[in-house]
């Protein structure tokens, strides 16, 4: 039921996650943050079984921060994605697999470029220019296919995100309570104020 969206542009990565925490058809919380900050330039968004998602996200967050403290350097987004995939693959082959799907967004300061990784509960990992998990992929990937290009500005990226949320509001049969939006740039991670009800944009 969750909505996760990721969009990269010329010098940024946008991660959006739905605010509704749901169990079946019931909404348990209307302001749920489905993201974890792993280090200054890496953010993870998650969806799936409630216990698995929080436990795995906190495990990854603690281990990446421990690495930073021990080595006095942050893991790059690429290295973090590899670590996440390895842990999911290990769990998949154990008696306690994690039922969790992830988007890992970041900014690679060494190569000076934004990054986005799509990972699912089967430990499949793929670097992508844009990605979605949950019901968002059924409604938004065609919009992203049409409007995205690697050199879009931040304003253009937010416009595409607004197209996606507007499409979800009109066509999704559940109320996902809007989205939390976070942006990763070379300066770090910031929360972006976003009101999905303001200035709707319809895709041509």
């Amino acid at each position: 039921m969750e909505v996760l969206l990721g969009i990269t542009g010329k010098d940024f990565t946008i991660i959006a996650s739905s605010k509704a925490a749901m169990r079946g058809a019931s909404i348990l919380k209307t302001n749920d943050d489905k993201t974890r900050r792993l280090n200054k330039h890496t953010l993870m968004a998650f969806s799936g079984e409630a216990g698995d998602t929080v436990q795995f996200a906190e495990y990854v967050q603690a281990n990446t921060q421990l690495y930073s403290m021990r080595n006095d350097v942050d893991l790059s987004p690429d290295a973090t994605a590899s670590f996440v995939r390895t842990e999911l693959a290990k769990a998949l082959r154990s008696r306690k697999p994690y039922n969790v799907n992830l988007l890992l967004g970041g900014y690679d300061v060494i190569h000076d470029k934004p990054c986005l990784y799509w990972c699912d509960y089967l430990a499949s990992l793929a670097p992508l220019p844009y990605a979605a998990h949950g019901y968002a992929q059924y409604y938004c990937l065609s919009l992203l296919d049409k409007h995205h290009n690697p050199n879009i500005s931040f304003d253009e990226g937010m416009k595409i995100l607004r197209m996606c949320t507007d499409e979800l509001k009109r066509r999704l049969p559940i109320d996902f309570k809007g989205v939390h939006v976070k942006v990763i740039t070379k300066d770090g991670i910031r929360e972006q104020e976003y009101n999905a009800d303001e200035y709707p944009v319809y895709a041509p």
Side-chain angles (χ1 to χ4, degrees), residues 88-89 92 97-102 118-124 133:
L88 276 177
L92 188 66
Y98 291 106
N99 187 358
V100 56
N101 298 307
L102 306 166
W118 181 96
C119 189
D120 69 0
Y121 71 102
L122 295 174
S124 301
H133 267 305

Side-chain angles (χ1 to χ4, degrees), residues 154-171:
F154 176 69
D155 288 339
E156 289 171 326
M158 291 301 292
K159 183 177 179 181
I160 293 172
L161 177 62
R162 193 168 293 282
M163 288 180 184
C164 292
T165 56
D166 189 57
E167 187 76 6
L168 289 169
K169 282 194 304 176
R170 287 189 291 128
R171 299 185 62 194

